[in-house]
Amino acid sequence: MFDLLDFGLNLKALGIEWGTLVMFALLVGLLLTGTPLAMVTLLVALIFAIGWFGPMAVPLITSRVYSFVSSFVFISVPMFVLMAAILDRSGIARDLFDAMKLVGGQLRGGVAVQTIFVAVILAAMSGIIGGEIVLLGLVALPQMLRLGYNRRLAIGVVCAGGSLGTMVPPSIVLIIYGLTANVSVGDLFTAAFVPGFMLAGLYIAYILFRSYLDPNAAPPPPVDRTPLREHLPLLRGLVLPMLVVFVVLGSIYGGIASVTEASAIGVAGVIVSTILRREFSFSMLLDAAMHTLATVGMIMWIGIGASALVGVYNLMGGIRFISQLIAGVSDNPTVIILFMMAVLFILGMFLDWVGIALLTMPIFVPIIKDLGYDPVWFGVLFAMNMQVSFLTPPFGPAAFYLKSVTPPDISLGEIFRSLVPFICLQVIAVGLLVMFPALAMH
Amino acid sequence: QEYQFTFQSVDPAGNPNFGIQKAWTERVEEMSGGRLAIELLPVGSVVEYNETQDAVGAGILDGHITDVSYFSGKDPAFGLIANPIGAWSAPDEMFRFINYGGGYELMNKLEEPYGLKFIGATTTGLEGFVSKRALNGVDDLKGLKVRAPEGLIQEVFAAAGAVPVNLPYSEVYTALDKGVIDAADSTVFSTNHQQGLHKVAENPVYPGFHSMPLVEVSMNLEKWNALPADLQAILTVSVRDFAQDAVAILSMNDLKAFAEATADPNITVHNWSAEERAKFRTIAMDQWAKVAARSDNAQNVYEALTTYLSSQGMLK
Amino acid sequence: MPLPPDQSPLPNSAQISAPAQEHLPQAGWLGWVITRIARLFAIGIIVAMVVLVIEIFLRYVFNSPTIWAHETTTFLSAVTFIFGGLFCVARNSHIRVVLLYDIVGPRTRRVLDVLISIACLLASLFFAWAAWLMVKKAMFRPDGSFFLETSGSAWNSPSPALLKIFLLVVMVAMSVQFLILTFNYMRGPLPQKRLDDV
Ligand code: NA
Ligand code: NA
C-alpha cells in the first residue's frame, strides 16, 4: 500500500543543500498561488515528509500538530485576543486613546509614541507575541487612524511594538535559549532590559522624526487651549485600563499568577471594566469569543504549519546542514558573528523562531563559547534577531497576526511595505548590539 | 557507513547531559569502525519529548534517549519503573537491578509491544531539589507549592502534604522567581545552579531526596533486529559505559557547583538526615501499590521491584 | 478638506473587522454545520478563562491549587485551536496572498480555486490517515485492549487520547469540506477578485 502512496517521489536524491533551496522555492511558489498560508507550510511539510522518507513519516506532522496545540503557554494567545475583542466592543479603547491624546499634549506623534509605551507594558505582561499584536491591531490601530495618523506609520507601530513581547522580559525566546545554552534565565532577562528599551527607543525616535518632518505622518497637536478642568472627565478614560494593567502586572510580579495565567486575569479585568461601564452583555461576550475563535484559528494554524515543517526539516538533517554551512567560514570572529546574523536573517524570512532556535542553537552556542564570547549576550542578540524575523516577508508572523484582524482594505502587501522602516531599525539595533556587547549588561 | 541512525535526546543542546550523550554516539561510531553512525538531535527537534516513544515505534526516529516517566500516560508501569521514588538511594543500586536483577528483561517486555528495543539504562543521578523555603525534613513539605512533572512524583508529594502545581518547564523560572510556586522538581544540582535557579530559590536540598529518573536508551525493534550481532553488542556494552560516564561526570559537576553554592552567602544548601530521608521513602513506597493496581504491567513491575528489593534486604 | 479627526466617519473596527459568522456559500451544508457548532468552542474559551481564574484564586488565597485546572484549560484551548482552523476553512478566512490571484482572469482564478482545494483535500486526507495511526496508539494498548492514553499527571485525565481523537475528527471533516469546496468551485460561478487580501 505504501508503494502505492509513494508517487515515485524521491526528494532525498536532491541532498540537503538542494533540498533546502527547493523547500524555500516551493514555499514561495505555493504562497503566490493564493493557497491559504497555514496550508502552504503544511503542504510543503507533507511533500517533503513523503518525498524524503515515505508515507510512514506523515504521523510526524500530526504529532507536531498535537504537541503544538497542547502547549500550555499558548493559552495566553486566545486570552489576549479575547481581551482585544471585548475592548473593541466597548468604549474603553476610544476613551483611552482620547485621554492619551491629552496626555501626549503638544507632542507631534504623541499618540503613536504612547502606543509604543502601551506595547512595552503589554510586553511586560506576556512572554510570547501574537496576542499583543492582535490586541494593538484591534484597539490601537483604528484609534490612530481615527486620530489622523498616517496608515503605514500606524501599521508599523502596531507590528513592531506588538513584537516586543519576546524582547522585554518575561520572554519565552530567552527562556528557551537559556535552557538550550544552559545559561541563567535571570541573567538573560537582566541583559535584555537595555537592548529591549533601546529598540523601543529607536521606534520612538523614528516616530518623532517622521512626525516632525512629514506633515502627513501625524495629526497636528490640538490648538485649543481649553482649561485643564474641562479635560478632566476625558482623563477618566485612563483609569480602568490602568487598573487592569496594574492587576495583571501585579499578579505576575506579586507572585500570584504565572505569566500565562495572568492573561486570564487580564480578560477578567476587562470584563469587569465593561460591567462597571454598563457596556456588558452576554451576547457581547459571546460575540467577542466567536471573534476570538476565528482569529486564533487563523494565527495558530500558521504556527502549526511552521512547527510541522521544522520537524520534517530537522529529520532531513537541517541541523547538520547549518553546521556544514558555518564550518570553515572564516577564522575571524567578527566574520563568523556576521555570518551567523546573515543565517538568522535568511532563516527568519521563512521559519518561525522555535524552528530557528532548534536549528541554529546547537551549532551557534558552542562556537560562541569557543570564541570566548558571552553566551548571555548572544542570547539577547538571538532574541533581537527574532524581532527581525517577526516582521520580514514572505513569512512574517507579526504581519499575519495583524492581517487577521484588520479591515479588508489593509492588504498584506501594504503591511509588509509599512514594516520596512521598522525592519531597518531592528537591523540597526542588531548592529549596535554586535558592536557594543556591553549593552547586554548582567 | 552501513547504518545511519537518528536518535532524539530528552535534553537541549547546551545541557551537559546532551554533551555526554553525544560523546557516546561518537564512541559507537569509532567502536564500530565507522559502520554505525548515530546523529543525536536535541529535545523537540523532530517530535515533542513525550511523543518519542510513538515516533521510534513507527520508525520515524530510529531511537531515543529519554526519561521513561514521560510515558506514564501510555501505561502506569512506565511511571513506576521509571521513578520508584524511595527504591534507590544511589545510581548503582538502580543499575544493579536493571542490568542483573531482572530489570532489563522487564523493560524489554514492556517496550517490545510498542515496537521498541530497550538497549540500556542511564540516569542523571539523584536530582537536586530546588526550593525557596528552607526544608529540613518531611514536615517542612506541608503546604509547599511544588512543581512536578508527570509520573508518580506528583502523588508522592501530595501524600507528603505538599501541593503539586502543574506548570510547564518553561514557566518554572519565572514562577519560582516571583513566588507563584515555592519549589520545583528540576534536574541535577549543577545544571540547576548554572541555569540560575538557586538565585531565585535559595534553599536547595542536596543530595536530593525525591527523584532519580530511569533514562532509557532504546531504538526501533525492527531496525535493532536487522543489526548484526557485533553491532548489537557494541550498542549494549557502550550504553553500560555511557551510564557510568553520565553519573560520574554529573556528580563531579554537582560537587563543584555544591562548593560554589556553599560559598555563596545568599544560598543555603540543606541536607536531610537519614531519618527524614527514610520517612519520605516510606511515604513514597505507600504510593507504589496504588500505581500497581492501575494495570497488569504495573503490577508486574511492582512485584519485580519488591521481590528484588527484599532479596537484597533493601525493603524493610 | 479632511474632516476633523474626531468626527471622521471611520466606523468602529468591530463593524468592519469582526469576521462575519457566515460560512462561504461554496462550503455547503457542512459549512453551515461548522459555523453553527462554532459557538460551543467559543464558549470553551470563556470557560478556560474562568477555570484559570479559579485556579489562581484557590492557589493564592487557599493555598490549595487544583490538579485539574491546567489540564482542562490546555485541553480547551487545544480544542479551540484545532477547531478554529476548520472554522476558517468553512468561512474561507485563512490568510492568503492573492498577488497573482487578482491579476489573472476569472477563468484562471476558478482553475486556481479548484486546484488549491484539491491540494488541500489531498493534504487533509493524508493528515486524517496519519491522525488515525496516532489515535490507534492512543485508544488501544498494543495487545488490542481498549485504553485511553492519559496525561500521566496526578489527575491523569485521558485528555491526550481525547485530543488526538478530536484531531482525527477535525481532519476528516476538513477533508469532506475541501471535497465539497472542490465540487462547488468547479460548477459554481466564476470567482471575483478577492481585494480583501493582498
Ligand atoms: Na515579555
Ligand atoms: Na519573517
Side-chain angles (χ1 to χ4, degrees):
Chain A
M1 173 196 176
F2 298 128
D3 295 335
L4 233 145
L5 290 169
D6 234 344
F7 308 120
L9 192 67
N10 184 7
L11 291 171
K12 204 169 188 169
L14 286 172
I16 187 72
E17 299 85 1
W18 286 102
T20 306
L21 271 178
V22 170
M23 181 182 271
F24 286 171
L26 205 57
L27 277 172
V28 175
L30 275 174
L31 189 79
L32 288 175
T33 60
T35 309
L37 257 167
M39 294 309 281
V40 169
T41 37
L42 277 172
L43 269 170
V44 175
L46 179 67
I47 291 168
F48 273 83
I50 296 175
W52 205 278
F53 304 104
M56 277 320 288
V58 180
L60 146 59
I61 298 175
T62 42
S63 164
R64 282 198 86 93
V65 174
Y66 162 76
S67 301
F68 187 88
V69 297
S70 47
S71 258
F72 179 69
V73 290
F74 286 143
I75 294 171
S76 66
V77 175
M79 292 304 142
F80 268 93
V81 176
L82 183 57
M83 229 186 288
I86 296 170
L87 285 174
D88 186 39
R89 279 158 184 75
S90 74
I92 299 175
R94 194 187 183 100
D95 290 358
L96 171 68
F97 276 79
D98 282 341
M100 275 168 48
K101 197 175 72 176
L102 274 184
V103 178
Q106 296 304 304
L107 200 61
R108 243 180 190 278
V111 172
V113 170
Q114 289 176 81
T115 303
I116 295 288
F117 279 117
V118 172
V120 171
I121 292 171
L122 290 175
M125 294 176 9
S126 164
I128 52 175
I129 71 157
E132 299 130 85
I133 293 171
V134 167
L135 198 146
L136 291 173
L138 273 177
V139 173
L141 185 60
Q143 297 299 332
M144 278 194 277
L145 297 181
R146 175 176 68 92
L147 296 174
Y149 275 81
N150 172 288
R151 207 152 102 148
R152 292 204 181 166
L153 182 66
I155 290 170
V157 164
V158 165
C159 284
S163 300
L164 286 169
T166 63
M167 195 64 222
V168 174
S171 151
I172 296 285
V173 173
L174 289 173
I175 290 173
I176 297 292
Y177 178 88
L179 295 179
T180 309
N182 210 33
V183 293
S184 158
V185 178
D187 287 350
L188 285 167
F189 282 2
T190 315
F193 244 93
V194 173
F197 283 102
M198 177 183 80
L199 186 59
L202 284 175
Y203 295 156
I204 290 172
Y206 171 73
I207 293 167
L208 293 175
F209 178 78
R210 275 290 307 274
S211 306
Y212 278 93
L213 236 70
D214 174 4
N216 297 320
V223 279
D224 65 320
R225 297 275 62 197
T226 36
L228 189 65
R229 187 160 25 88
E230 288 174 33
H231 282 322
L232 278 180
L234 269 179
L235 283 178
R236 273 201 317 228
L238 287 174
V239 175
L240 284 174
M242 281 171 84
L243 219 60
V244 173
V245 165
F246 178 79
V247 170
V248 173
L249 284 180
S251 67
I252 295 176
Y253 292 91
I256 296 168
S258 78
V259 181
T260 302
E261 291 170 337
S263 58
I265 297 190
V267 177
V270 170
I271 291 177
V272 170
S273 303
T274 56
I275 293 173
L276 291 176
R277 291 171 57 103
R278 296 168 199 286
E279 286 169 342
F280 180 84
S281 70
F282 281 103
S283 68
M284 181 276 279
L285 184 60
L286 192 62
D287 188 43
M290 284 296 279
H291 183 113
T292 306
L293 179 67
T295 306
V296 296
M298 271 184 262
I299 67 184
M300 292 310 285
W301 274 70
I302 293 170
I304 285 173
S307 166
L309 185 62
V310 164
V312 174
Y313 188 60
N314 279 336
L315 193 61
M316 283 163 53
I319 297 180
R320 232 180 313 139
F321 174 57
I322 304 279
S323 97
Q324 283 163 15
L325 270 186
I326 201 108
V329 158
S330 164
D331 288 332
N332 183 337
T334 318
V335 176
I336 296 176
I337 295 279
L338 291 178
F339 184 75
M340 286 178 177
M341 296 301 103
V343 170
L344 291 177
F345 186 87
I346 292 169
L347 289 178
M349 290 165 65
F350 295 95
L351 299 179
D352 79 328
W353 73 266
V354 182
I356 299 171
L358 278 171
L359 272 174
T360 59
M361 285 307 105
I363 299 133
F364 286 6
V365 175
I367 296 178
I368 287 295
K369 286 182 182 165
D370 284 348
L371 292 175
Y373 288 107
D374 178 4
V376 171
W377 159 77
F378 192 72
V380 179
L381 193 56
F382 180 76
M384 193 67 96
N385 272 289
M386 292 308 100
Q387 291 288 307
V388 185
S389 82
F390 295 147
L391 303 197
T392 46
F395 288 84
F400 301 152
Y401 299 156
L402 182 65
K403 175 64 199 159
S404 70
V405 289
T406 47
D409 65 311
I410 295 181
S411 70
L412 259 182
E414 183 177 13
I415 295 176
F416 277 127
R417 278 190 290 277
S418 313
L419 295 182
V420 173
F422 290 87
I423 294 171
C424 295
L425 292 170
Q426 292 171 334
V427 172
I428 291 173
V430 169
L432 286 172
L433 200 52
V434 171
M435 277 194 287
F436 307 107
L439 284 168
M441 286 177 291
H442 64 96
Chain B
Q1 282 132 9
E2 289 168 43
Y3 299 93
Q4 169 75 55
F5 290 152
T6 306
F7 277 46
Q8 187 173 299
S9 162
V10 73
D11 294 296
N15 189 295
N17 298 344
F18 188 80
I20 301 166
Q21 294 156 9
K22 189 114 188 161
W24 165 71
T25 64
E26 284 156 10
R27 226 171 294 135
V28 167
E29 189 165 353
E30 210 178 317
M31 291 165 83
S32 67
R35 286 156 62 212
L36 171 53
I38 298 173
E39 185 186 14
L40 185 69
L41 298 178
V43 62
S45 298
V46 177
V47 291
E48 238 357 285
Y49 69 94
N50 53 6
E51 287 274 298
T52 53
Q53 195 187 52
D54 279 358
V56 174
I60 294 170
L61 286 168
D62 301 310
H64 65 169
I65 303 178
T66 194
D67 183 340
V68 180
S69 316
Y70 294 137
F71 310 113
S72 307
K74 294 268 183 199
D75 190 326
F78 289 117
L80 189 56
I81 197 164
N83 212 345
I85 298 161
W88 321 121
S89 16
D92 269 336
E93 295 180 4
M94 182 178 92
F95 291 155
R96 285 203 291 269
F97 167 66
I98 296 285
N99 293 331
Y100 316 103
Y104 199 87
E105 296 70 27
L106 185 60
M107 273 304 286
N108 268 310
K109 220 179 110 203
L110 288 178
E111 302 224 332
E112 231 174 64
Y114 293 90
L116 274 81
K117 160 73 188 162
F118 173 75
I119 304 173
T122 173
T123 185
T124 56
L126 277 178
E127 294 188 329
F129 192 68
V130 180
S131 174
K132 287 178 92 76
R133 259 166 49 182
L135 304 173
N136 291 306
V138 172
D139 288 343
D140 296 336
L141 294 176
K142 282 242 149 43
L144 186 83
K145 279 182 271 200
V146 55
R147 180 267 175 189
E150 48 269 72
L152 182 61
I153 191 154
Q154 286 201 5
E155 290 164 71
V156 173
F157 273 119
V163 198
V165 178
N166 277 317
L167 272 185
Y169 192 71
S170 57
E171 296 228 18
V172 166
Y173 181 86
T174 36
L176 270 176
D177 184 21
K178 308 296 187 261
V180 176
I181 51 176
D182 306 312
D185 163 285
S186 190
T187 177
V188 291
F189 188 87
S190 48
T191 304
N192 295 341
H193 193 71
Q194 271 178 309
Q195 290 177 352
L197 286 175
H198 297 153
K199 277 188 196 151
V200 293
E202 307 87 347
N203 288 293
V205 182
Y206 174 81
F209 55 89
H210 62 295
S211 165
M212 192 176 80
L214 164 60
V215 177
E216 63 172 321
V217 183
S218 43
M219 65 175 286
N220 180 278
L221 185 61
E222 269 175 50
K223 291 178 187 172
W224 168 268
N225 288 336
L227 281 176
D230 61 333
L231 291 185
Q232 289 181 345
I234 285 177
L235 280 171
T236 315
V237 176
S238 66
V239 167
R240 233 145 60 195
D241 173 71
F242 154 53
Q244 297 300 330
D245 242 17
V247 170
I249 295 173
L250 291 175
S251 64
M252 276 160 62
N253 289 354
D254 281 359
L255 288 171
K256 211 171 131 217
F258 174 67
E260 271 173 40
T262 320
D264 188 331
N266 299 318
I267 302 171
T268 318
V269 185
H270 299 256
N271 191 354
W272 280 19
S273 66
E275 299 83 69
E276 290 303 325
R277 285 174 190 271
K279 251 197 254 171
F280 190 79
R281 284 181 65 179
T282 315
I283 296 172
M285 286 156 92
D286 285 345
Q287 302 300 309
W288 296 4
K290 262 172 123 183
V291 176
R294 288 183 198 148
S295 81
D296 294 346
N297 280 332
Q299 186 62 37
N300 292 341
V301 170
Y302 179 78
E303 278 158 21
L305 255 181
T306 45
T307 311
Y308 173 77
L309 287 172
S310 66
S311 80
Q312 299 288 303
M314 292 163 75
L315 206 64
K316 40 158 188 79
Chain C
M1 192 197 126
L3 290 164
D6 274 350
Q7 284 111 55
S8 79
L10 209 137
N12 187 320
S13 67
Q15 284 122 44
I16 35 177
S17 73
Q21 309 305 345
E22 282 317 304
H23 60 276
L24 191 70
Q26 283 90 339
W29 62 271
L30 185 58
W32 186 87
V33 172
I34 290 168
T35 43
R36 287 307 168 286
I37 57 173
R39 200 161 286 246
L40 197 67
F41 295 93
I43 293 170
I45 302 173
I46 301 170
V47 175
M49 182 271 292
V50 173
V51 168
L52 269 186
V53 172
I54 292 174
E55 163 75 7
I56 297 163
F57 185 77
L58 289 177
R59 188 179 61 223
Y60 189 71
V61 180
F62 296 104
N63 206 37
S64 61
T66 67
I67 52 170
W68 48 267
H70 283 148
E71 247 169 271
T72 309
T73 39
T74 308
F75 179 78
L76 285 172
S77 70
V79 161
T80 307
F81 296 153
I82 296 174
F83 183 84
L86 177 64
F87 186 49
C88 291
V89 170
R91 293 167 59 257
N92 195 28
S93 65
H94 272 301
I95 299 170
R96 35 174 107 205
V97 172
V98 284
L99 211 66
L100 292 184
Y101 187 94
D102 275 358
I103 294 175
V104 298
R107 267 170 212 290
T108 322
R109 263 204 291 275
R110 171 147 80 182
V111 173
L112 271 178
D113 274 345
V114 172
L115 287 180
I116 290 170
S117 304
I118 291 176
C120 293
L121 166 64
L122 284 175
S124 331
L125 280 173
F126 261 112
F127 296 145
W129 168 69
W132 165 242
L133 295 182
M134 197 162 75
V135 164
K136 266 202 308 198
K137 291 182 178 177
M139 272 179 79
F140 304 100
R141 287 213 178 86
D143 65 7
S145 59
F146 179 78
F147 172 75
L148 290 178
E149 181 185 350
T150 59
S151 62
S153 68
W155 191 35
N156 212 18
S157 76
S159 62
L162 296 180
L163 200 54
K164 288 172 180 178
I165 294 169
F166 184 73
L167 180 63
L168 170 64
V169 171
V170 167
M171 288 326 299
V172 170
M174 204 180 270
S175 307
V176 178
Q177 182 65 90
F178 277 122
L179 185 70
I180 294 174
L181 283 172
T182 308
F183 269 106
N184 287 341
Y185 280 136
M186 268 197 276
R187 43 169 217 203
L190 290 178
Q192 298 293 305
K193 281 189 180 193
R194 263 194 227 270
L195 287 174
D196 56 307
D197 292 292
V198 169

